[in-house]
Amino acid sequence: MAFDGFELFEPQVELLGRHLATIENHCGIVEYDETVLRVKCRRCEVRIEGEGLHLTALTLGELAVEGDIRSVAFLPGEEGAE
């Protein structure tokens, strides 16, 4: 099954079990503490919830978070956000 809807700068989220997540193509951190990480992306927001969350890497285009990850959600972004 082919997926034709992929765009070059969409967020790419990778999970390694329940303890490590990486997000590529982000536009910045909206909220961050030990229980929630909200990351702004071009047309959405990625929300990671868990316990003991801590950033282990942060660059202009990629970040990594470790901890006990309980959920990952893609939330709609602002209307017209590119």
Side-chain angles (χ1 to χ4, degrees), residues 49-75:
E49 294 182 0
E51 296 293 328
L53 301 179
H54 57 280
L55 290 173
T56 57
L58 177 61
T59 67
L60 290 177
E62 183 174 357
L63 63 81
V65 62
E66 291 183 0
D68 183 14
I69 298 170
R70 304 265 170 88
S71 70
V72 177
F74 293 85
L75 307 172

Side-chain angles (χ1 to χ4, degrees), residues 27-82:
C27 298
I29 295 173
V30 177
E31 179 182 0
Y32 168 58
D33 64 30
E34 290 187 357
T35 61
V36 67
L37 172 64
R38 293 174 46 216
V39 179
K40 182 179 180 343
C41 298
R42 282 183 62 145
R43 294 193 178 114
C44 70
E45 178 179 295
V46 177
R47 180 182 178 100
I48 298 175
E49 294 182 0
E51 296 293 328
L53 301 179
H54 57 280
L55 290 173
T56 57
L58 177 61
T59 67
L60 290 177
E62 183 174 357
L63 63 81
V65 62
E66 291 183 0
D68 183 14
I69 298 170
R70 304 265 170 88
S71 70
V72 177
F74 293 85
L75 307 172
E78 295 178 15
E79 203 59 35
E82 290 292 321

